[in-house]
Amino acid sequence: MKINVVLVEPEIPQNTGNIARTCAATGGKLHLVHPLGFSIDEKHLKRAGLDYWDKLEIEEHISFNKFLEKYPPEKNNMFFVTTKGKHVYSEDVFTNLNEVFVLFGKETKGLPEDILQKYLSKTIRIPMKEHLRSLNLSNSVAIVVYEILRQNNFDGLEEISSYFDNK
């Protein structure tokens, strides 16, 4: 399964660097939707991604509208992650798909409200205690990406470490 992680107008370079590392480690493609709250070559962004940048598939989009034109939600398996989501991320919705897009909004505002209303049935959330704003963006991406992988038996990932075989 191909996982596409879409960051809509991310603001914090360290979060994006951590997410880039998660995508590289899982084979996911990272989409960055402009405007970004930082320069893609900022040292903090590169440091958070460490030496994984050359192992990362990345695509940039000049705006959210341009992203949606290229990848229409009606023609793609698209899920919108929000604290207001209709479904819990762990529901069995990611199996038997060839490709999936998971969209995350900017750290301070999330995804646009009109998009969430339009695609309400495709919104997912991570349960948490009442009256708290949200989890950290990079943590949220990791939780959802690994749930997608779990639902697909970690296809394409190494499940057993060979570290102790040579000891």
Side-chain angles (χ1 to χ4, degrees), residues 27-63:
K29 180 176 181 179
L30 178 60
H31 296 258
L32 296 177
V33 178
H34 288 256
L36 307 179
F38 49 84
S39 165
I40 193 128
D41 60 358
E42 280 187 25
K43 68 177 182 175
H44 297 295
L45 182 66
K46 299 250 186 222
R47 188 172 68 204
L50 295 173
D51 56 346
Y52 291 90
W53 285 99
D54 63 331
K55 296 164 183 62
L56 176 66
E57 185 179 358
I58 189 166
E59 184 176 340
E60 293 184 60
H61 306 272
I62 61 170
S63 71

CSV table of all heavy atoms in Angstrom, one decimal, residues 27-63:
chain,number,residue,atom,x,y,z
A,27,GLY,N,8.3,4.2,4.1
A,27,GLY,CA,8.1,4.2,2.7
A,27,GLY,C,7.0,5.1,2.2
A,27,GLY,O,6.5,5.1,1.1
A,28,GLY,N,6.5,6.0,3.1
A,28,GLY,CA,5.4,6.9,2.8
A,28,GLY,C,5.9,8.1,2.0
A,28,GLY,O,7.1,8.5,2.0
A,29,LYS,N,5.0,8.7,1.2
A,29,LYS,CA,5.4,9.9,0.4
A,29,LYS,C,4.9,11.1,1.2
A,29,LYS,O,3.7,11.1,1.7
A,29,LYS,CB,4.7,9.9,-0.9
A,29,LYS,CG,5.0,11.1,-1.8
A,29,LYS,CD,4.3,10.9,-3.2
A,29,LYS,CE,4.6,12.1,-4.1
A,29,LYS,NZ,4.0,11.9,-5.4
A,30,LEU,N,5.7,12.1,1.3
A,30,LEU,CA,5.3,13.4,2.0
A,30,LEU,C,5.0,14.4,1.0
A,30,LEU,O,5.7,14.7,0.1
A,30,LEU,CB,6.5,13.8,2.9
A,30,LEU,CG,6.3,15.1,3.7
A,30,LEU,CD1,5.1,15.0,4.6
A,30,LEU,CD2,7.6,15.5,4.4
A,31,HIS,N,3.8,15.0,1.2
A,31,HIS,CA,3.3,16.1,0.4
A,31,HIS,C,3.3,17.4,1.3
A,31,HIS,O,2.7,17.4,2.4
A,31,HIS,CB,1.9,15.9,0.0
A,31,HIS,CG,1.7,14.8,-1.0
A,31,HIS,ND1,1.6,14.9,-2.3
A,31,HIS,CD2,1.6,13.4,-0.7
A,31,HIS,CE1,1.4,13.7,-2.9
A,31,HIS,NE2,1.5,12.8,-1.9
A,32,LEU,N,4.0,18.4,0.9
A,32,LEU,CA,4.0,19.7,1.6
A,32,LEU,C,3.2,20.7,0.8
A,32,LEU,O,3.5,21.0,-0.3
A,32,LEU,CB,5.4,20.2,1.8
A,32,LEU,CG,6.3,19.3,2.6
A,32,LEU,CD1,7.7,19.9,2.7
A,32,LEU,CD2,5.8,19.2,4.0
A,33,VAL,N,2.1,21.2,1.5
A,33,VAL,CA,1.2,22.2,0.8
A,33,VAL,C,1.6,23.6,1.3
A,33,VAL,O,1.5,23.9,2.5
A,33,VAL,CB,-0.2,21.9,1.1
A,33,VAL,CG1,-1.2,22.9,0.5
A,33,VAL,CG2,-0.6,20.5,0.6
A,34,HIS,N,1.9,24.5,0.4
A,34,HIS,CA,2.3,25.8,0.8
A,34,HIS,C,1.1,26.7,1.0
A,34,HIS,O,0.0,26.4,0.6
A,34,HIS,CB,3.1,26.4,-0.4
A,34,HIS,CG,4.5,25.8,-0.5
A,34,HIS,ND1,5.7,26.5,-0.1
A,34,HIS,CD2,4.9,24.6,-1.0
A,34,HIS,CE1,6.7,25.7,-0.4
A,34,HIS,NE2,6.3,24.6,-0.9
A,35,PRO,N,1.3,27.8,1.8
A,35,PRO,CA,2.5,28.3,2.3
A,35,PRO,C,3.0,27.5,3.5
A,35,PRO,O,2.2,27.1,4.3
A,35,PRO,CB,2.2,29.8,2.7
A,35,PRO,CG,0.7,29.8,3.0
A,35,PRO,CD,0.1,28.7,2.1
A,36,LEU,N,4.4,27.4,3.6
A,36,LEU,CA,5.0,26.8,4.7
A,36,LEU,C,5.4,27.9,5.7
A,36,LEU,O,5.7,29.0,5.3
A,36,LEU,CB,6.2,26.0,4.3
A,36,LEU,CG,6.1,25.0,3.2
A,36,LEU,CD1,7.4,24.3,2.9
A,36,LEU,CD2,5.0,23.9,3.5
A,37,GLY,N,5.4,27.5,7.0
A,37,GLY,CA,5.8,28.5,8.0
A,37,GLY,C,7.4,28.5,8.2
A,37,GLY,O,7.8,29.0,9.2
A,38,PHE,N,8.1,28.0,7.2
A,38,PHE,CA,9.6,27.9,7.3
A,38,PHE,C,10.1,27.6,5.9
A,38,PHE,O,9.4,27.3,5.0
A,38,PHE,CB,10.0,26.8,8.3
A,38,PHE,CG,9.2,25.5,7.9
A,38,PHE,CD1,9.7,24.6,7.0
A,38,PHE,CD2,8.1,25.2,8.6
A,38,PHE,CE1,9.0,23.5,6.6
A,38,PHE,CE2,7.4,24.0,8.3
A,38,PHE,CZ,7.8,23.2,7.3
A,39,SER,N,11.4,27.7,5.8
A,39,SER,CA,12.1,27.4,4.6
A,39,SER,C,12.4,25.9,4.6
A,39,SER,O,12.8,25.4,5.7
A,39,SER,CB,13.4,28.2,4.4
A,39,SER,OG,14.2,27.7,3.4
A,40,ILE,N,12.3,25.2,3.5
A,40,ILE,CA,12.5,23.8,3.5
A,40,ILE,C,14.0,23.4,3.7
A,40,ILE,O,14.3,22.3,4.0
A,40,ILE,CB,12.0,23.1,2.2
A,40,ILE,CG1,12.0,21.6,2.3
A,40,ILE,CG2,12.8,23.5,1.0
A,40,ILE,CD1,10.7,21.0,1.9
A,41,ASP,N,14.9,24.4,3.6
A,41,ASP,CA,16.3,24.1,3.8
A,41,ASP,C,16.8,24.6,5.2
A,41,ASP,O,17.9,24.6,5.5
A,41,ASP,CB,17.1,24.7,2.7
A,41,ASP,CG,17.0,26.2,2.6
A,41,ASP,OD1,16.2,26.8,3.4
A,41,ASP,OD2,17.7,26.8,1.7
A,42,GLU,N,15.8,24.9,6.1
A,42,GLU,CA,16.2,25.4,7.4
A,42,GLU,C,17.0,24.3,8.1
A,42,GLU,O,16.6,23.1,8.0
A,42,GLU,CB,15.0,25.8,8.2
A,42,GLU,CG,14.5,27.1,7.9
A,42,GLU,CD,13.4,27.6,8.9
A,42,GLU,OE1,13.3,27.0,10.0
A,42,GLU,OE2,12.6,28.4,8.5
A,43,LYS,N,18.0,24.6,8.9
A,43,LYS,CA,18.8,23.6,9.6
A,43,LYS,C,18.0,22.8,10.5
A,43,LYS,O,18.3,21.6,10.7
A,43,LYS,CB,20.0,24.3,10.2
A,43,LYS,CG,19.7,25.2,11.4
A,43,LYS,CD,20.9,25.8,12.0
A,43,LYS,CE,20.5,26.6,13.2
A,43,LYS,NZ,21.6,27.1,14.0
A,44,HIS,N,17.0,23.4,11.2
A,44,HIS,CA,16.2,22.6,12.2
A,44,HIS,C,15.4,21.5,11.5
A,44,HIS,O,15.2,20.4,12.0
A,44,HIS,CB,15.2,23.6,12.9
A,44,HIS,CG,15.9,24.6,13.7
A,44,HIS,ND1,16.7,24.2,14.8
A,44,HIS,CD2,16.0,25.9,13.6
A,44,HIS,CE1,17.2,25.4,15.4
A,44,HIS,NE2,16.8,26.4,14.7
A,45,LEU,N,14.9,21.9,10.3
A,45,LEU,CA,14.1,20.9,9.5
A,45,LEU,C,15.0,19.7,9.1
A,45,LEU,O,14.7,18.6,9.3
A,45,LEU,CB,13.5,21.6,8.3
A,45,LEU,CG,12.6,20.7,7.4
A,45,LEU,CD1,11.4,20.3,8.1
A,45,LEU,CD2,12.3,21.5,6.1
A,46,LYS,N,16.2,20.0,8.6
A,46,LYS,CA,17.1,19.0,8.1
A,46,LYS,C,17.6,18.2,9.3
A,46,LYS,O,17.7,17.0,9.3
A,46,LYS,CB,18.3,19.6,7.4
A,46,LYS,CG,17.9,20.4,6.2
A,46,LYS,CD,18.3,19.7,4.9
A,46,LYS,CE,18.0,20.6,3.8
A,46,LYS,NZ,17.4,19.9,2.7
A,47,ARG,N,17.9,18.9,10.5
A,47,ARG,CA,18.4,18.1,11.6
A,47,ARG,C,17.3,17.2,12.2
A,47,ARG,O,17.6,16.0,12.6
A,47,ARG,CB,18.8,19.1,12.7
A,47,ARG,CG,19.5,18.4,13.9
A,47,ARG,CD,20.0,19.4,14.9
A,47,ARG,NE,19.0,20.1,15.6
A,47,ARG,CZ,19.1,21.3,16.1
A,47,ARG,NH1,20.2,21.9,16.1
A,47,ARG,NH2,18.1,21.8,16.7
A,48,ALA,N,16.1,17.6,12.2
A,48,ALA,CA,15.0,16.7,12.7
A,48,ALA,C,14.9,15.5,11.8
A,48,ALA,O,14.5,14.4,12.3
A,48,ALA,CB,13.7,17.4,12.8
A,49,GLY,N,15.1,15.6,10.5
A,49,GLY,CA,15.0,14.5,9.6
A,49,GLY,C,16.3,13.7,9.5
A,49,GLY,O,16.3,12.6,8.9
A,50,LEU,N,17.3,14.2,10.1
A,50,LEU,CA,18.7,13.6,10.1
A,50,LEU,C,19.1,13.2,8.7
A,50,LEU,O,19.1,14.0,7.8
A,50,LEU,CB,18.7,12.4,11.1
A,50,LEU,CG,18.5,12.8,12.6
A,50,LEU,CD1,18.3,11.5,13.4
A,50,LEU,CD2,19.6,13.6,13.1
A,51,ASP,N,19.6,12.0,8.6
A,51,ASP,CA,20.2,11.6,7.3
A,51,ASP,C,19.1,10.9,6.4
A,51,ASP,O,19.5,10.1,5.5
A,51,ASP,CB,21.4,10.8,7.5
A,51,ASP,CG,21.1,9.5,8.4
A,51,ASP,OD1,20.0,9.5,9.0
A,51,ASP,OD2,21.9,8.6,8.4
A,52,TYR,N,17.9,11.2,6.6
A,52,TYR,CA,16.8,10.5,5.9
A,52,TYR,C,16.3,11.2,4.7
A,52,TYR,O,15.5,10.7,3.9
A,52,TYR,CB,15.6,10.2,6.8
A,52,TYR,CG,15.9,9.1,7.8
A,52,TYR,CD1,16.5,9.5,9.1
A,52,TYR,CD2,15.8,7.8,7.6
A,52,TYR,CE1,16.8,8.6,10.0
A,52,TYR,CE2,16.1,6.8,8.5
A,52,TYR,CZ,16.6,7.2,9.8
A,52,TYR,OH,16.9,6.3,10.7
A,53,TRP,N,16.8,12.4,4.4
A,53,TRP,CA,16.2,13.3,3.4
A,53,TRP,C,16.4,12.6,2.0
A,53,TRP,O,15.5,12.7,1.1
A,53,TRP,CB,16.8,14.7,3.4
A,53,TRP,CG,16.2,15.4,4.5
A,53,TRP,CD1,16.7,15.7,5.8
A,53,TRP,CD2,14.9,16.0,4.6
A,53,TRP,NE1,15.8,16.4,6.5
A,53,TRP,CE2,14.7,16.6,5.8
A,53,TRP,CE3,13.8,16.1,3.6
A,53,TRP,CZ2,13.5,17.3,6.2
A,53,TRP,CZ3,12.7,16.8,4.0
A,53,TRP,CH2,12.5,17.4,5.2
A,54,ASP,N,17.5,11.9,1.8
A,54,ASP,CA,17.7,11.3,0.5
A,54,ASP,C,16.9,10.0,0.3
A,54,ASP,O,16.9,9.4,-0.8
A,54,ASP,CB,19.2,11.0,0.3
A,54,ASP,CG,19.8,10.0,1.3
A,54,ASP,OD1,19.3,10.0,2.4
A,54,ASP,OD2,20.7,9.3,0.9
A,55,LYS,N,16.3,9.5,1.3
A,55,LYS,CA,15.4,8.3,1.3
A,55,LYS,C,14.0,8.7,1.3
A,55,LYS,O,13.1,7.8,1.4
A,55,LYS,CB,15.8,7.4,2.5
A,55,LYS,CG,17.2,6.9,2.5
A,55,LYS,CD,17.6,6.4,3.8
A,55,LYS,CE,19.0,5.9,3.8
A,55,LYS,NZ,20.0,7.0,3.6
A,56,LEU,N,13.6,9.9,1.1
A,56,LEU,CA,12.3,10.4,1.2
A,56,LEU,C,11.7,10.8,-0.1
A,56,LEU,O,12.4,11.5,-0.9
A,56,LEU,CB,12.3,11.7,2.2
A,56,LEU,CG,11.0,12.4,2.3
A,56,LEU,CD1,10.0,11.5,3.1
A,56,LEU,CD2,11.2,13.7,3.1
A,57,GLU,N,10.5,10.4,-0.4
A,57,GLU,CA,9.8,10.8,-1.6
A,57,GLU,C,9.0,12.0,-1.1
A,57,GLU,O,8.2,11.9,-0.2
A,57,GLU,CB,8.9,9.7,-2.2
A,57,GLU,CG,8.3,10.1,-3.5
A,57,GLU,CD,7.4,9.0,-4.1
A,57,GLU,OE1,7.3,7.9,-3.5
A,57,GLU,OE2,6.8,9.3,-5.1
A,58,ILE,N,9.2,13.2,-1.8
A,58,ILE,CA,8.5,14.4,-1.3
A,58,ILE,C,7.9,15.1,-2.5
A,58,ILE,O,8.5,15.1,-3.6
A,58,ILE,CB,9.4,15.3,-0.5
A,58,ILE,CG1,8.7,16.4,0.1
A,58,ILE,CG2,10.6,15.7,-1.3
A,58,ILE,CD1,9.5,17.2,1.2
A,59,GLU,N,6.7,15.7,-2.4
A,59,GLU,CA,6.1,16.5,-3.4
A,59,GLU,C,5.6,17.8,-2.8
A,59,GLU,O,4.9,17.7,-1.7
A,59,GLU,CB,5.0,15.7,-4.1
A,59,GLU,CG,4.3,16.4,-5.2
A,59,GLU,CD,3.3,15.6,-5.9
A,59,GLU,OE1,3.3,14.4,-5.8
A,59,GLU,OE2,2.4,16.2,-6.6
A,60,GLU,N,5.9,18.9,-3.4
A,60,GLU,CA,5.4,20.2,-2.9
A,60,GLU,C,4.2,20.7,-3.8
A,60,GLU,O,4.2,20.4,-5.0
A,60,GLU,CB,6.5,21.2,-2.9
A,60,GLU,CG,7.6,20.9,-1.9
A,60,GLU,CD,8.6,22.0,-1.8
A,60,GLU,OE1,8.3,23.1,-1.5
A,60,GLU,OE2,9.8,21.6,-2.1
A,61,HIS,N,3.3,21.4,-3.2
A,61,HIS,CA,2.1,21.9,-3.8
A,61,HIS,C,2.0,23.4,-3.5
A,61,HIS,O,2.2,23.8,-2.3
A,61,HIS,CB,0.9,21.2,-3.4
A,61,HIS,CG,1.0,19.7,-3.6
A,61,HIS,ND1,0.6,19.1,-4.8
A,61,HIS,CD2,1.4,18.8,-2.7
A,61,HIS,CE1,0.8,17.8,-4.6
A,61,HIS,NE2,1.3,17.6,-3.4
A,62,ILE,N,1.8,24.3,-4.5
A,62,ILE,CA,1.8,25.7,-4.2
A,62,ILE,C,0.6,26.2,-3.4
A,62,ILE,O,0.7,27.2,-2.8
A,62,ILE,CB,1.9,26.5,-5.5
A,62,ILE,CG1,0.7,26.3,-6.4
A,62,ILE,CG2,3.2,26.3,-6.2
A,62,ILE,CD1,0.6,27.2,-7.6
A,63,SER,N,-0.5,25.4,-3.3
A,63,SER,CA,-1.6,25.7,-2.5
A,63,SER,C,-2.5,24.5,-2.3
A,63,SER,O,-2.3,23.5,-2.9
A,63,SER,CB,-2.5,26.8,-3.2
A,63,SER,OG,-3.2,26.2,-4.3
